[in-house]
Amino acid sequence: MTQFKNLINGEWVAGERCAINVNPSDASDVIGEFAQASAAQTQDAIAAARSAFPAWSQSTPQQRFDLLDQVGTAILARKGELGKLLAREEGKTLAEAIGEVGRAGQIFKFFAGEALRIGGEIVPSVRPGLTVEITREPIGVVGLITPWNFPIAIPAWKIAPALAHGNCVVIKPAELVPGSVWELANVIADAGAPPGVINLVMGRGSIVGETLVQSADVDAISFTGSVATGQAIAAKCVATNKKFQLEMGGKNPMVVLDDADLDVAVDACINGSFYSTGQRCTASSRLIVTAGIHDRFVETMQARMRRLKVGNALDPSTQIGPVVDATQLAQDERYIDIARSEGGSVFGGQRLMAATDGFFLAPALVTETTPAMTINRDEVFGPVASVIKVADYEEALAIANDSRFGLSAGICTTSLKFASHFKRHAQVGMVMINAATAGVDYHVPFGGRKGSSYGPREQGSHAREFYTAVKTTYIAPGSA
Ligand code: NDP
């Protein structure tokens, strides 16, 4: 079996133990044996990043551009191969997985450009003669902790800005999907990143993640994952005086008004709720539908759902791949059972058998729900959406905002008045008009409000808010 090691100070290092990575579409397909780092090895990776920081933080924008641009080119050239690996380890369909790899490549290209765009400001002082300069500097060693649902895009959108802005990185991917990040780290090392600039430590959150978060030598943590883990990390970052950024869950509403184009609305909801097996933090999980279109909407959704092909992620005809693992499958089924027991009517949601032994689940649509039901409060993180029938736009908006989360929200309508009002009043970080709540661009800010996010936005030029420290310098006359 192929063995994959950790990358520490430019060397591939065996772990304290190993874990196997198994394809959720096919239990007989083992992707490889991945090293699991100990706490001491994680400390070694942090020390390597710390040693590499003085030189890397002084590297020229051209050096950083060249590295990131080369990484982007290499990823894009291997899109098909890396996409297949991603589909095998996470269960996205091959088309979705190749799309995600392509996005990772574009992210590196974008942040290559950002390395050249680091500027500053010069402003006159309010005091006579003085000049004030506002500049940005790298923050130091950055610990990156990533979830399983975007095995290469999320690591890419954290690593690329970290390196572009002159920081050194220690990344810990989710245990379920180490393969894509291993390939990414390999590409970055091959492209000539100096030893210690990028370190990969695979293994458990409770050991590797915890060591990163507790270390006095880590200056900042960027985390994406669940609310519970994020909040625990936040408390520890405050205690150890670290900068931190959290992207957590969502319970994203999609409002469908009477005046919506039904086909547009159903397309957006099928995509937003069920593609990528609903395992997207931006998935549309609450479909809030006005009474005049409700019955036609539900009927058309169900007709479309009957035709969705669930199966092995590598089969080109598959539209929805498997759930990521047995634990997540049990969670999806538990929430479907709770929805039923609280009075919801469930369409779909049954286990499916296929030619291979995988975690296949038919997409589920829960109708006859009320906003207070568990299915409308908790994030399921699977191919499960609920429908809430409302009287009008005002009720829809109130329900859309009635959530502890605030990541993404959508509205399907042909009315500019309602679309504009929703854009301004949805309490979220991202609004989609006549488009699915999931599926975002790589060159603009990503993030949410309320319980979904904490700290500066990720992606686009806004990423510099997290990955740099601002310095204000006062220069007296005659200093030159
Ligand atoms: P988890 O919070 O369980 O894990 C996220 C990462 O944190 C993993 O790498 C995990 O390691 C690590 N971790 C676990 N415990 C600790 C700890 N004590 N200290 C430090 N690190 C730790 O989330 P999942 O991976 O299960 O991802 C699914 C969740 O992520 C969903 O709730 C989803 O909504 C959210 N998410 C949010 C996104 C957003 O941008 N808003 C995007 C994607 C997902 P391990 O490998 O051991 O699990």
PDB file of all heavy atoms in Angstrom, residues 410-435:
ATOM      1  N   GLY A 410     -30.367  33.027  -0.270  1.00  0.00           N
ATOM      2  CA  GLY A 410     -30.766  33.289  -1.647  1.00  0.00           C
ATOM      3  C   GLY A 410     -32.226  33.684  -1.741  1.00  0.00           C
ATOM      4  O   GLY A 410     -33.024  33.446  -0.820  1.00  0.00           O
ATOM      5  N   ILE A 411     -32.557  34.310  -2.863  1.00  0.00           N
ATOM      6  CA  ILE A 411     -33.959  34.617  -3.146  1.00  0.00           C
ATOM      7  C   ILE A 411     -34.221  34.378  -4.627  1.00  0.00           C
ATOM      8  O   ILE A 411     -33.391  34.742  -5.474  1.00  0.00           O
ATOM      9  CB  ILE A 411     -34.334  36.061  -2.729  1.00  0.00           C
ATOM     10  CG1 ILE A 411     -35.840  36.278  -2.891  1.00  0.00           C
ATOM     11  CG2 ILE A 411     -33.551  37.111  -3.509  1.00  0.00           C
ATOM     12  CD1 ILE A 411     -36.357  37.528  -2.180  1.00  0.00           C
ATOM     13  N   CYS A 412     -35.330  33.725  -4.921  1.00  0.00           N
ATOM     14  CA  CYS A 412     -35.756  33.566  -6.314  1.00  0.00           C
ATOM     15  C   CYS A 412     -37.004  34.409  -6.513  1.00  0.00           C
ATOM     16  O   CYS A 412     -38.047  34.159  -5.879  1.00  0.00           O
ATOM     17  CB  CYS A 412     -36.042  32.088  -6.622  1.00  0.00           C
ATOM     18  SG  CYS A 412     -34.538  31.115  -6.670  1.00  0.00           S
ATOM     19  N   THR A 413     -36.902  35.404  -7.348  1.00  0.00           N
ATOM     20  CA  THR A 413     -38.005  36.331  -7.593  1.00  0.00           C
ATOM     21  C   THR A 413     -37.740  37.057  -8.911  1.00  0.00           C
ATOM     22  O   THR A 413     -36.577  37.174  -9.321  1.00  0.00           O
ATOM     23  CB  THR A 413     -38.112  37.380  -6.451  1.00  0.00           C
ATOM     24  OG1 THR A 413     -39.153  38.307  -6.733  1.00  0.00           O
ATOM     25  CG2 THR A 413     -36.817  38.166  -6.253  1.00  0.00           C
ATOM     26  N   THR A 414     -38.819  37.568  -9.543  1.00  0.00           N
ATOM     27  CA  THR A 414     -38.618  38.425 -10.709  1.00  0.00           C
ATOM     28  C   THR A 414     -38.836  39.892 -10.330  1.00  0.00           C
ATOM     29  O   THR A 414     -38.884  40.760 -11.197  1.00  0.00           O
ATOM     30  CB  THR A 414     -39.562  38.027 -11.861  1.00  0.00           C
ATOM     31  OG1 THR A 414     -40.889  37.933 -11.334  1.00  0.00           O
ATOM     32  CG2 THR A 414     -39.154  36.700 -12.475  1.00  0.00           C
ATOM     33  N   SER A 415     -38.973  40.138  -9.015  1.00  0.00           N
ATOM     34  CA  SER A 415     -39.225  41.508  -8.559  1.00  0.00           C
ATOM     35  C   SER A 415     -37.938  42.171  -8.081  1.00  0.00           C
ATOM     36  O   SER A 415     -37.295  41.695  -7.136  1.00  0.00           O
ATOM     37  CB  SER A 415     -40.243  41.468  -7.402  1.00  0.00           C
ATOM     38  OG  SER A 415     -40.078  42.595  -6.587  1.00  0.00           O
ATOM     39  N   LEU A 416     -37.576  43.259  -8.714  1.00  0.00           N
ATOM     40  CA  LEU A 416     -36.385  44.000  -8.295  1.00  0.00           C
ATOM     41  C   LEU A 416     -36.576  44.537  -6.880  1.00  0.00           C
ATOM     42  O   LEU A 416     -35.643  44.568  -6.076  1.00  0.00           O
ATOM     43  CB  LEU A 416     -36.120  45.144  -9.284  1.00  0.00           C
ATOM     44  CG  LEU A 416     -34.894  45.998  -9.005  1.00  0.00           C
ATOM     45  CD1 LEU A 416     -33.619  45.168  -9.037  1.00  0.00           C
ATOM     46  CD2 LEU A 416     -34.793  47.129 -10.032  1.00  0.00           C
ATOM     47  N   LYS A 417     -37.811  44.918  -6.578  1.00  0.00           N
ATOM     48  CA  LYS A 417     -38.098  45.485  -5.251  1.00  0.00           C
ATOM     49  C   LYS A 417     -37.753  44.476  -4.155  1.00  0.00           C
ATOM     50  O   LYS A 417     -37.019  44.769  -3.220  1.00  0.00           O
ATOM     51  CB  LYS A 417     -39.583  45.863  -5.186  1.00  0.00           C
ATOM     52  CG  LYS A 417     -40.002  46.486  -3.870  1.00  0.00           C
ATOM     53  CD  LYS A 417     -41.465  46.855  -3.857  1.00  0.00           C
ATOM     54  CE  LYS A 417     -42.265  45.747  -3.188  1.00  0.00           C
ATOM     55  NZ  LYS A 417     -43.658  46.030  -2.983  1.00  0.00           N
ATOM     56  N   PHE A 418     -38.244  43.242  -4.303  1.00  0.00           N
ATOM     57  CA  PHE A 418     -37.974  42.245  -3.257  1.00  0.00           C
ATOM     58  C   PHE A 418     -36.506  41.822  -3.266  1.00  0.00           C
ATOM     59  O   PHE A 418     -35.902  41.626  -2.215  1.00  0.00           O
ATOM     60  CB  PHE A 418     -38.887  41.020  -3.436  1.00  0.00           C
ATOM     61  CG  PHE A 418     -40.336  41.301  -3.127  1.00  0.00           C
ATOM     62  CD1 PHE A 418     -41.353  40.891  -3.987  1.00  0.00           C
ATOM     63  CD2 PHE A 418     -40.693  41.982  -1.965  1.00  0.00           C
ATOM     64  CE1 PHE A 418     -42.689  41.153  -3.702  1.00  0.00           C
ATOM     65  CE2 PHE A 418     -42.024  42.252  -1.670  1.00  0.00           C
ATOM     66  CZ  PHE A 418     -43.027  41.841  -2.545  1.00  0.00           C
ATOM     67  N   ALA A 419     -35.928  41.690  -4.457  1.00  0.00           N
ATOM     68  CA  ALA A 419     -34.518  41.276  -4.530  1.00  0.00           C
ATOM     69  C   ALA A 419     -33.632  42.313  -3.846  1.00  0.00           C
ATOM     70  O   ALA A 419     -32.739  41.969  -3.060  1.00  0.00           O
ATOM     71  CB  ALA A 419     -34.098  41.088  -5.989  1.00  0.00           C
ATOM     72  N   SER A 420     -33.894  43.590  -4.111  1.00  0.00           N
ATOM     73  CA  SER A 420     -33.064  44.654  -3.525  1.00  0.00           C
ATOM     74  C   SER A 420     -33.247  44.700  -2.010  1.00  0.00           C
ATOM     75  O   SER A 420     -32.288  44.866  -1.265  1.00  0.00           O
ATOM     76  CB  SER A 420     -33.441  46.024  -4.077  1.00  0.00           C
ATOM     77  OG  SER A 420     -33.378  45.991  -5.454  1.00  0.00           O
ATOM     78  N   HIS A 421     -34.492  44.552  -1.573  1.00  0.00           N
ATOM     79  CA  HIS A 421     -34.752  44.602  -0.126  1.00  0.00           C
ATOM     80  C   HIS A 421     -34.076  43.435   0.569  1.00  0.00           C
ATOM     81  O   HIS A 421     -33.442  43.587   1.620  1.00  0.00           O
ATOM     82  CB  HIS A 421     -36.277  44.586   0.115  1.00  0.00           C
ATOM     83  CG  HIS A 421     -36.640  44.887   1.544  1.00  0.00           C
ATOM     84  ND1 HIS A 421     -36.721  43.903   2.514  1.00  0.00           N
ATOM     85  CD2 HIS A 421     -36.902  46.068   2.173  1.00  0.00           C
ATOM     86  CE1 HIS A 421     -37.041  44.458   3.670  1.00  0.00           C
ATOM     87  NE2 HIS A 421     -37.154  45.768   3.496  1.00  0.00           N
ATOM     88  N   PHE A 422     -34.161  42.260  -0.061  1.00  0.00           N
ATOM     89  CA  PHE A 422     -33.555  41.053   0.536  1.00  0.00           C
ATOM     90  C   PHE A 422     -32.037  41.210   0.618  1.00  0.00           C
ATOM     91  O   PHE A 422     -31.417  40.875   1.622  1.00  0.00           O
ATOM     92  CB  PHE A 422     -33.927  39.836  -0.315  1.00  0.00           C
ATOM     93  CG  PHE A 422     -33.532  38.526   0.313  1.00  0.00           C
ATOM     94  CD1 PHE A 422     -34.284  37.981   1.350  1.00  0.00           C
ATOM     95  CD2 PHE A 422     -32.419  37.830  -0.133  1.00  0.00           C
ATOM     96  CE1 PHE A 422     -33.925  36.770   1.930  1.00  0.00           C
ATOM     97  CE2 PHE A 422     -32.053  36.624   0.438  1.00  0.00           C
ATOM     98  CZ  PHE A 422     -32.816  36.091   1.473  1.00  0.00           C
ATOM     99  N   LYS A 423     -31.456  41.721  -0.444  1.00  0.00           N
ATOM    100  CA  LYS A 423     -29.998  41.905  -0.482  1.00  0.00           C
ATOM    101  C   LYS A 423     -29.556  42.739   0.719  1.00  0.00           C
ATOM    102  O   LYS A 423     -28.564  42.428   1.370  1.00  0.00           O
ATOM    103  CB  LYS A 423     -29.614  42.612  -1.792  1.00  0.00           C
ATOM    104  CG  LYS A 423     -28.122  42.795  -1.975  1.00  0.00           C
ATOM    105  CD  LYS A 423     -27.806  43.542  -3.238  1.00  0.00           C
ATOM    106  CE  LYS A 423     -28.220  44.994  -3.096  1.00  0.00           C
ATOM    107  NZ  LYS A 423     -27.520  45.935  -3.929  1.00  0.00           N
ATOM    108  N   ARG A 424     -30.299  43.781   1.024  1.00  0.00           N
ATOM    109  CA  ARG A 424     -29.915  44.680   2.123  1.00  0.00           C
ATOM    110  C   ARG A 424     -30.241  44.096   3.501  1.00  0.00           C
ATOM    111  O   ARG A 424     -29.527  44.337   4.461  1.00  0.00           O
ATOM    112  CB  ARG A 424     -30.636  46.034   1.929  1.00  0.00           C
ATOM    113  CG  ARG A 424     -30.505  46.999   3.086  1.00  0.00           C
ATOM    114  CD  ARG A 424     -29.044  47.412   3.329  1.00  0.00           C
ATOM    115  NE  ARG A 424     -28.931  48.234   4.527  1.00  0.00           N
ATOM    116  CZ  ARG A 424     -28.823  47.751   5.750  1.00  0.00           C
ATOM    117  NH1 ARG A 424     -28.820  46.443   5.957  1.00  0.00           N
ATOM    118  NH2 ARG A 424     -28.730  48.571   6.794  1.00  0.00           N
ATOM    119  N   HIS A 425     -31.305  43.296   3.604  1.00  0.00           N
ATOM    120  CA  HIS A 425     -31.793  42.918   4.932  1.00  0.00           C
ATOM    121  C   HIS A 425     -31.522  41.466   5.334  1.00  0.00           C
ATOM    122  O   HIS A 425     -31.786  41.096   6.474  1.00  0.00           O
ATOM    123  CB  HIS A 425     -33.283  43.243   5.057  1.00  0.00           C
ATOM    124  CG  HIS A 425     -33.533  44.727   4.983  1.00  0.00           C
ATOM    125  ND1 HIS A 425     -33.379  45.560   6.061  1.00  0.00           N
ATOM    126  CD2 HIS A 425     -33.845  45.523   3.938  1.00  0.00           C
ATOM    127  CE1 HIS A 425     -33.606  46.811   5.694  1.00  0.00           C
ATOM    128  NE2 HIS A 425     -33.904  46.811   4.406  1.00  0.00           N
ATOM    129  N   ALA A 426     -31.002  40.649   4.424  1.00  0.00           N
ATOM    130  CA  ALA A 426     -30.632  39.278   4.820  1.00  0.00           C
ATOM    131  C   ALA A 426     -29.401  39.376   5.714  1.00  0.00           C
ATOM    132  O   ALA A 426     -28.406  40.013   5.341  1.00  0.00           O
ATOM    133  CB  ALA A 426     -30.337  38.455   3.574  1.00  0.00           C
ATOM    134  N   GLN A 427     -29.469  38.754   6.901  1.00  0.00           N
ATOM    135  CA  GLN A 427     -28.360  38.887   7.878  1.00  0.00           C
ATOM    136  C   GLN A 427     -27.308  37.806   7.625  1.00  0.00           C
ATOM    137  O   GLN A 427     -27.171  36.846   8.393  1.00  0.00           O
ATOM    138  CB  GLN A 427     -28.928  38.794   9.290  1.00  0.00           C
ATOM    139  CG  GLN A 427     -29.847  39.958   9.617  1.00  0.00           C
ATOM    140  CD  GLN A 427     -30.744  39.693  10.815  1.00  0.00           C
ATOM    141  OE1 GLN A 427     -30.656  38.642  11.458  1.00  0.00           O
ATOM    142  NE2 GLN A 427     -31.606  40.638  11.124  1.00  0.00           N
ATOM    143  N   VAL A 428     -26.618  37.943   6.516  1.00  0.00           N
ATOM    144  CA  VAL A 428     -25.644  36.933   6.078  1.00  0.00           C
ATOM    145  C   VAL A 428     -24.441  37.624   5.435  1.00  0.00           C
ATOM    146  O   VAL A 428     -24.486  38.828   5.152  1.00  0.00           O
ATOM    147  CB  VAL A 428     -26.269  35.965   5.037  1.00  0.00           C
ATOM    148  CG1 VAL A 428     -27.347  35.102   5.648  1.00  0.00           C
ATOM    149  CG2 VAL A 428     -26.813  36.743   3.830  1.00  0.00           C
ATOM    150  N   GLY A 429     -23.420  36.833   5.165  1.00  0.00           N
ATOM    151  CA  GLY A 429     -22.247  37.396   4.488  1.00  0.00           C
ATOM    152  C   GLY A 429     -22.351  37.362   2.979  1.00  0.00           C
ATOM    153  O   GLY A 429     -21.658  38.109   2.288  1.00  0.00           O
ATOM    154  N   MET A 430     -23.189  36.466   2.435  1.00  0.00           N
ATOM    155  CA  MET A 430     -23.290  36.330   0.972  1.00  0.00           C
ATOM    156  C   MET A 430     -24.757  36.169   0.555  1.00  0.00           C
ATOM    157  O   MET A 430     -25.477  35.365   1.166  1.00  0.00           O
ATOM    158  CB  MET A 430     -22.471  35.108   0.522  1.00  0.00           C
ATOM    159  CG  MET A 430     -20.985  35.302   0.811  1.00  0.00           C
ATOM    160  SD  MET A 430     -19.970  33.852   0.503  1.00  0.00           S
ATOM    161  CE  MET A 430     -20.505  32.749   1.789  1.00  0.00           C
ATOM    162  N   VAL A 431     -25.175  36.913  -0.463  1.00  0.00           N
ATOM    163  CA  VAL A 431     -26.568  36.844  -0.938  1.00  0.00           C
ATOM    164  C   VAL A 431     -26.561  36.418  -2.406  1.00  0.00           C
ATOM    165  O   VAL A 431     -25.747  36.896  -3.202  1.00  0.00           O
ATOM    166  CB  VAL A 431     -27.259  38.222  -0.806  1.00  0.00           C
ATOM    167  CG1 VAL A 431     -28.646  38.197  -1.436  1.00  0.00           C
ATOM    168  CG2 VAL A 431     -27.378  38.614   0.655  1.00  0.00           C
ATOM    169  N   MET A 432     -27.458  35.511  -2.758  1.00  0.00           N
ATOM    170  CA  MET A 432     -27.569  35.033  -4.135  1.00  0.00           C
ATOM    171  C   MET A 432     -28.980  35.371  -4.654  1.00  0.00           C
ATOM    172  O   MET A 432     -29.963  35.026  -4.001  1.00  0.00           O
ATOM    173  CB  MET A 432     -27.382  33.511  -4.192  1.00  0.00           C
ATOM    174  CG  MET A 432     -26.177  33.013  -3.429  1.00  0.00           C
ATOM    175  SD  MET A 432     -24.652  33.494  -4.245  1.00  0.00           S
ATOM    176  CE  MET A 432     -23.448  32.733  -3.172  1.00  0.00           C
ATOM    177  N   ILE A 433     -29.037  36.007  -5.793  1.00  0.00           N
ATOM    178  CA  ILE A 433     -30.339  36.362  -6.362  1.00  0.00           C
ATOM    179  C   ILE A 433     -30.564  35.515  -7.609  1.00  0.00           C
ATOM    180  O   ILE A 433     -29.778  35.582  -8.560  1.00  0.00           O
ATOM    181  CB  ILE A 433     -30.392  37.875  -6.661  1.00  0.00           C
ATOM    182  CG1 ILE A 433     -30.274  38.623  -5.312  1.00  0.00           C
ATOM    183  CG2 ILE A 433     -31.681  38.244  -7.390  1.00  0.00           C
ATOM    184  CD1 ILE A 433     -30.092  40.099  -5.418  1.00  0.00           C
ATOM    185  N   ASN A 434     -31.604  34.690  -7.554  1.00  0.00           N
ATOM    186  CA  ASN A 434     -31.918  33.734  -8.635  1.00  0.00           C
ATOM    187  C   ASN A 434     -30.735  32.814  -8.934  1.00  0.00           C
ATOM    188  O   ASN A 434     -30.491  32.442 -10.095  1.00  0.00           O
ATOM    189  CB  ASN A 434     -32.380  34.463  -9.905  1.00  0.00           C
ATOM    190  CG  ASN A 434     -33.716  35.155  -9.694  1.00  0.00           C
ATOM    191  OD1 ASN A 434     -34.640  34.542  -9.138  1.00  0.00           O
ATOM    192  ND2 ASN A 434     -33.830  36.399 -10.084  1.00  0.00           N
ATOM    193  N   ALA A 435     -29.968  32.473  -7.897  1.00  0.00           N
ATOM    194  CA  ALA A 435     -28.829  31.553  -8.034  1.00  0.00           C
ATOM    195  C   ALA A 435     -28.724  30.748  -6.741  1.00  0.00           C
ATOM    196  O   ALA A 435     -29.198  31.189  -5.677  1.00  0.00           O
ATOM    197  CB  ALA A 435     -27.545  32.334  -8.284  1.00  0.00           C
TER     198      ALA A 435
END
